[in-house]
Structures are given as structure tokens and as C-alpha cells.
Amino acid sequence: MRRRYKFTDRNQSKQGIVSSVIGMMALLLTGSMVAAAYLEYGEAGKLIAVLGFLALLLSLVGLYHGFRGLGEEDTYKGFPYAGCVLNGLVLIAFAGIYMLGW
């Protein structure tokens, strides 16, 4: 069996990990918000609106952390890219919801 050694000083980006976790939370919150509004036939109330606003703020903060993670030197870029994609999906979902008038 061949051994593989990795000689590098690079680590995972901490800002990228934060961005990815926030993106997952925002995506889950957005999905649950849309599901609750669907189950209530569009009459979900103020609680769902507050949760939606919280998910929107989370995605903006996560996008900020993702871009900061992309700027870190000597780090892997997988988590920052994943965080930017997740948070971007949440922002696109909110833009779609706004455009469709849900």
C-alpha cells in the first residue's frame, strides 16, 4: 500500500466554514418558511415573515463571510465557495418569491 503525505501549510478557511454553516441554516429556514406558508395556504402570518427576514439577514451575513473566506491566504477554498453558493441560492429564492408575489 502506498502512503501519501501531504506537505502543506494550508488549512480550512474558518470564514468559509462559518459561511457554509450559516448558508445551511438560512437554506433550511427558507425551506421551512416556504413549506409553512404553503401549508397555511399563504396565510401564515407574522411569524413566518419574521423567520423569512431572519433567513434573508443570515444569508447576507453568510455571503459576507464567504467572500472574506475567499480572500484568506494559504487556505483551501472549498468551504468559502460552498458558503457563497448556499447563501446565493437563498438570495435567489427570496428574489424569486418577491418577483412571483408569494
Side-chain angles (χ1 to χ4, degrees), residues 34-68:
V34 169
Y38 177 76
L39 291 174
E40 294 292 326
Y41 302 106
E43 302 292 328
K46 294 179 185 177
L47 179 63
I48 299 302
V50 170
L51 290 178
F53 187 68
L54 179 66
L56 182 63
L57 288 178
L58 276 176
S59 68
L60 290 173
V61 169
L63 202 59
Y64 171 75
H65 283 292
F67 285 132
R68 296 241 353 232

Side-chain angles (χ1 to χ4, degrees), residues 17-51:
I17 293 171
V18 169
S19 174
S20 296
V21 169
I22 289 175
M24 286 186 279
M25 289 176 14
L27 197 60
L28 287 173
L29 197 56
T30 302
S32 62
M33 177 200 68
V34 169
Y38 177 76
L39 291 174
E40 294 292 326
Y41 302 106
E43 302 292 328
K46 294 179 185 177
L47 179 63
I48 299 302
V50 170
L51 290 178

